[in-house]
Amino acid sequence: MSTCTTQTAASGRRLDPLLLRAEFPILEQMVHGHPLVYLDNAATTQKPRTVLEALERYYERDNANVHRGVHLLSQRATDAFEAARRKVARFVNASPQEIVFTRGTTEAVNLVAQSFGLQHVQRGDAVLVSHMEHHSNIVPWQLLCERVGAKLLVIPIDDRGVLELDALDRLLSPRVKLLGLVHASNALGTLNPVAEVIRRAHAHGIPVLLDGAQALPHAKVDVKALDVDFYACSAHKVYGPTGIGALYAKKQHLQAMPPWQGGGDMILSVSFAGSKWNEVPFKFEAGTPDIAGAIGFGAALDWVDSVGLGAIAAHEAELLAYATERVRELPHVRLIGTAPEKVGVLSFVFDDVHPHDVGTILDQQGVAVRTGHHCAQPVMERYGVPATVRASFAAYNTRADVDALVDGLRAVREMFRV
Ligand code: 7TS
């Protein structure tokens, strides 16, 4: 591993996945008569008891609207909500004013496209993304480009799923007004050399947005060291609740950007002659936010801190290496995504069995994997497949989970033997 600030950090601590499992009530259940083996963590992770308790405690004791009441419950709700913002900020080394709560990564990217994008991208300009983006870092830019008459340019990837940096250099030009890049690919697992990409883009004065949905749970993110302009993430991929996430943006960007949604909380004053915007980050948080969700997000980051991100990353790297080796041994299997730097995502296809059939047979054995295009259809098109089977790992997975996956895949092979 390199010493890059965003690489999976080496850690002296080791985690015990069996101890951690006990903190996740959902993992105790049986599925189709088998103990649940949950390997769909890139879609969403399960939630530890501390997160579930934080949600329950909020609704049982503190529920009230934030930023507006003088009464005690409203003050407690506001304090907890703002404490969660400070936790998110600390987790990525930002200041709390630079953290906007959103519904998740998707909404964070849309916010940047519709506010910063509309302000900076004009007819004849370009937005640059990579060939390994999730749809949520493609479609918002397509909508913007169609609206203003700009072009979407694409950085190619090689057969392993590694970003082609030489091609990036050729694509960087004064026309490009923003570069959007996935930090870790959900379909391939590739962990991109984001510090280097940001350095090259900034040398041309081009701001960079990173889609951190898959990186935040696995790699140390330091927005200051990266000097990244925008960082989008979702709580539910990092052991937190669904429907909440965050956008980090440099303060000077947030201050210069126009609001993208209007309503309560985002204003200082309103009159029919005109309105004045609230200070950042509230300017971008119109309406009652997902207060419980934000508090749950904070609790999830506390949980990750208590286990240690470095220990989680090291554990997942071990599982990925073991799973890669075992799945490779199976006949007629092709791995999709073999980059040297990866997070815990193993995508593959069988030559002769459709991924959906594989997924259905695995489910019958209690093994939950994702099959499909993973909202990354350009990646599927790049490898000439309609879909892949994807196993993705989290802190609570074990080698026994990988063995159950491989046993299930052997059963698939048996069934489809010709
Ligand atoms: N970006 C990446 C890289 C993702 O993996 C996802 C979700 C998103 C953005 C969108 O996140 P959201 O929280 O706003 O929905 N990825 C997946 C997946 O791989 N399977 O289900 C959702």
Side-chain angles (χ1 to χ4, degrees):
M1 293 282 160
S2 81
T3 52
C4 163
T5 45
T6 61
Q7 302 299 313
T8 46
S11 160
R13 287 160 76 185
R14 281 183 73 83
L15 61 76
D16 180 345
L18 289 178
L19 276 181
L20 291 186
R21 279 181 96 80
E23 298 180 39
F24 290 76
I26 202 168
L27 296 176
E28 285 160 21
Q29 68 188 289
M30 305 288 280
V31 168
H32 303 304
H34 299 272
L36 170 63
V37 173
Y38 187 78
L39 294 173
D40 194 15
N41 296 288
T44 198
T45 51
Q46 300 302 348
K47 324 302 171 199
R49 204 170 267 119
T50 49
V51 169
L52 305 177
E53 284 168 1
L55 297 175
E56 195 174 299
R57 201 168 44 242
Y58 168 72
Y59 279 122
E60 279 189 0
R61 288 193 351 210
D62 301 331
N63 176 51
N65 215 325
V66 287
H67 301 145
R68 26 194 118 178
V70 291
H71 62 81
L72 183 65
L73 263 56
S74 178
Q75 284 168 13
R76 285 212 301 253
T78 305
D79 287 349
F81 183 67
E82 292 305 325
R85 192 190 307 276
R86 289 194 294 278
K87 287 178 188 181
V88 177
R90 199 172 53 231
F91 200 77
V92 298
N93 194 26
S95 99
Q97 290 162 305
E98 296 171 313
I99 300 296
V100 178
F101 280 120
T102 63
R103 284 192 298 123
T105 306
T106 304
E107 192 174 68
V109 178
N110 277 279
L111 190 167
V112 178
Q114 290 180 37
S115 173
F116 185 89
L118 272 178
Q119 198 176 35
H120 291 271
V121 182
Q122 290 164 7
R123 175 166 297 281
D125 287 341
V127 173
L128 186 55
V129 296
S130 85
H131 207 131
M132 66 174 102
E133 300 307 313
H134 185 278
H135 295 165
S136 62
N137 202 23
I138 300 174
V139 184
W141 305 115
Q142 282 177 326
L143 289 170
L144 171 69
C145 288
E146 273 168 29
R147 191 159 158 191
V148 303
K151 201 163 173 194
L152 191 66
L153 302 175
V154 183
I155 312 163
I157 57 177
D158 72 15
D159 289 344
R160 299 166 303 165
V162 173
L163 199 67
E164 295 198 6
L165 289 176
D166 292 347
L168 166 71
D169 287 339
R170 286 193 295 276
L171 286 161
L172 293 172
S173 81
R175 271 180 77 195
V176 176
K177 296 296 183 260
L178 187 123
L179 190 162
L181 178 66
V182 71
H183 190 167
S185 156
N186 67 319
L188 300 167
T190 308
L191 188 62
N192 277 314
V194 288
E196 178 60 21
V197 172
I198 291 167
R199 200 184 57 72
R200 293 188 192 198
H202 282 180
H204 291 258
I206 299 168
V208 177
L209 173 143
L210 291 179
D211 166 353
Q214 297 294 342
L216 197 70
H218 312 289
K220 176 70 194 136
V221 174
D222 182 333
V223 292
K224 288 280 182 301
L226 284 172
D227 195 29
V228 68
D229 296 274
F230 303 101
Y231 198 91
C233 59
S234 300
H236 71 101
K237 312 262 193 211
V238 60
Y239 311 99
T242 53
I244 183 83
L247 170 70
Y248 158 79
K250 284 182 178 170
K251 196 170 162 195
Q252 69 264 31
H253 289 322
L254 284 181
Q255 281 172 335
M257 283 158 59
W260 77 308
Q261 288 178 345
D265 238 25
M266 53 76 69
I267 44 78
L268 279 181
S269 67
V270 174
S271 82
F272 287 116
S275 302
K276 287 202 174 70
W277 314 138
N278 204 342
E279 61 200 32
V280 299
F282 309 112
K283 185 169 78 172
F284 296 98
E285 293 180 352
T288 301
D290 181 355
I291 304 163
I295 292 167
F297 191 1
L301 298 180
D302 283 344
W303 183 84
V304 170
D305 276 341
S306 74
V307 179
L309 192 59
I312 294 175
H315 172 69
E316 290 168 348
E318 241 174 69
L319 282 181
L320 178 69
Y322 178 58
T324 304
E325 183 190 306
R326 297 232 38 212
V327 168
R328 246 196 192 127
E329 284 165 8
L330 298 167
H332 305 290
V333 78
R334 179 178 154 212
L335 300 185
I336 306 289
T338 51
E341 296 278 359
K342 281 181 69 174
V343 295
V345 166
L346 187 64
S347 240
F348 56 93
V349 290
F350 281 126
D351 290 345
D352 48 354
V353 191
H354 195 281
H356 291 306
D357 292 332
V358 178
T360 306
I361 297 165
L362 289 177
D363 176 56
Q364 288 304 312
Q365 296 165 67
V367 180
V369 294
R370 180 80 164 204
T371 62
H373 54 57
H374 317 297
C375 296
Q377 280 184 311
V379 173
M380 301 299 117
E381 171 248 330
R382 169 69 178 72
Y383 291 91
V385 294
T388 73
V389 182
R390 182 187 71 186
S392 50
F393 305 108
Y396 41 68
N397 287 123
T398 61
R399 282 166 85 95
D401 290 343
V402 175
D403 293 338
L405 168 71
V406 173
D407 288 348
L409 293 172
R410 286 197 191 286
V412 172
R413 290 253 48 97
E414 279 299 304
M415 249 178 242
F416 281 82
R417 198 171 46 181
V418 275

